[in-house]
Amino acid sequence: MIQWEDLKWYQKAAFWFVIGIVGWFAPEIALLFHFSGIEVVFAFVAMYYTPILRQIQNLYRQFKESLSLAVITFQSSACAKPKVYFLGVSFCCVAFAFTSSIAFSAIFFMPGLVLNGVLI
């Protein structure tokens, strides 16, 4: 276990900075520091913010799972297949050449992109 005296000056400064920030949101830290000392404050802060850290870890895990699901879904979708994409893009370009409207050609592009997996 690291003792307070063994820390370097920048480690002590970083710890005091964190305690100062935490003290704004949890004023009981100042009273705890006054009566017990820096080691107890550190242990209290570690226990106090453990649920928040677990929640952040849970959100990060859910984000990773959602991202991997989105990647797998995209890789297995029709737009990831070259022949479907080429056919849809060529259809969109032909519609743009005839209509000169990006919005109108995009309207033609979306059904071709979505339904070409069924047609091919």
Side-chain angles (χ1 to χ4, degrees):
M1 183 171 173
I2 298 175
Q3 298 294 324
W4 179 256
E5 293 81 21
D6 296 338
L7 295 177
K8 294 179 177 37
W9 69 271
Y10 58 88
Q11 291 172 325
K12 289 180 183 179
F15 182 74
W16 279 111
F17 180 73
V18 168
I19 292 298
I21 297 293
V22 169
W24 284 345
F25 300 108
E28 63 269 13
I29 298 271
L31 185 63
L32 193 65
F33 177 69
H34 180 70
F35 287 122
S36 53
I38 195 76
E39 291 86 8
V40 176
V41 170
F42 182 73
F44 179 75
V45 167
M47 287 178 44
Y48 192 76
Y49 286 103
T50 299
I52 295 171
L53 292 176
R54 301 268 172 147
Q55 191 74 355
I56 291 171
Q57 288 173 345
N58 189 21
L59 288 173
Y60 178 69
R61 183 184 51 79
Q62 288 177 350
F63 175 73
K64 276 181 33 178
E65 289 175 0
S66 299
L67 189 63
S68 66
L69 178 65
V71 167
I72 290 170
T73 303
F74 179 73
Q75 288 174 348
S76 63
S77 71
C79 62
K81 296 178 177 69
K83 59 184 177 181
V84 173
Y85 186 71
F86 178 73
L87 189 60
V89 168
S90 61
F91 188 63
C92 181
C93 291
V94 168
F96 180 69
F98 284 134
T99 64
S100 299
S101 170
I102 294 175
F104 195 60
S105 63
I107 289 171
F108 278 108
F109 178 63
M110 292 312 288
L113 185 66
V114 172
L115 297 175
N116 261 344
V118 177
L119 298 174
I120 294 179

